[in-house]
Amino acid sequence: MNILTLDIGGNFIKYALINEHQQMIGKSKVSTPTDTLEHLYSVIDDIFVKFENVEGLAISMPGVIDSEQGIAHTGGFLKYIQHLPLSQQLSQKYHLPVWIGNDAKCAGYAEVGYGVLQDVDDALVVILGTAIGGCIIQNKKVRQGKHFAAGEVSNLLVDYHDVDERWFMQGGKDGLLSIVQKYLSTEKDYTGEEIFDLLIQGDEKVNEALDRYAKNLAIQIFNLQVVLDVEKIAIGGGISAQNILIEKINQQFSPLFASPDCCIEQVPIVACKYRNDANLLGAFYQFTQINS
């Protein structure tokens, strides 16, 4: 089975033809159109003609997505997508089966199908991107929610005294950057790589900032565990490749269970196996589950 798989992101559309061995053929990327739907379809046309023997199309994309009906209710930053029957339109266009799914949920599917969540039934996936994405795994399936927004953890409130203080302001790359800037008393726009380079060089202020960042995440993950009671928690996104980050989150996570009155089960927090290719593999996995 050769499935053309697209991952529509904020800057680029990544794409590859994936076969039954999960091998990626012709993997590349193009700029994401942000102006019109017609422009997006034109770019997909240009990608499609690069490949032969395409048997289906699987798409990971931002927004509120009804995967079962193939409707993109929103497209996240793609403001021209509103209640769009995307699967139907592309299926009619290319005469192939089409599946679409939310990007964070696709990352979860990748771990369920091929990664660190193959051995559990219930799990939580937290994706540390520019902000935070996430998904809930129940009985080895990604929970969509009645309004297709289950797991949208970036909308959690973290300070009930100030409703404007939401998790996306503390999580993800932007959250890490803001904490580092505060601890270093600077407005310099560090990249994630630069922040961890400073840590490796022994910068104590950056180490303290990372501890604070890890504690913020650990507390919110604890709250989610109270509600969900999962078996494992997987952290994804670019900065999850830093082993020290996963170590620090676990260090901050463990003390939260220390109270003798705590009846919540502590579970392992691990790094996702897949990062840059997670959305492509997850879309492919779910397409094959639906069309097998």
Side-chain angles (χ1 to χ4, degrees), residues 206-218:
V206 172
N207 187 55
E208 292 174 13
L210 190 60
D211 282 336
R212 168 51 62 181
Y213 176 76
K215 186 172 184 177
N216 289 345
L217 284 173

Side-chain angles (χ1 to χ4, degrees), residues 47 77 102 105 117 128 160 168 205 256 265-267:
I47 295 171
F77 57 89
N102 169 270
K105 291 180 173 63
L117 301 180
L128 305 178
Y160 66 88
F168 65 73
K205 291 293 185 182
L256 301 175
E265 186 74 19
Q266 183 178 353
V267 298

Side-chain angles (χ1 to χ4, degrees), residues 96-139:
L96 292 170
V98 176
W99 182 88
I100 61 173
N102 169 270
D103 46 9
K105 291 180 173 63
C106 284
Y109 279 125
E111 298 302 325
V112 169
Y114 313 115
V116 298
L117 301 180
Q118 294 181 79
D119 61 338
V120 299
D121 294 319
D122 300 334
L124 172 69
V125 180
V126 178
I127 306 298
L128 305 178
T130 302
I132 291 187
C135 70
I136 301 163
I137 313 296
Q138 287 184 312
N139 299 319

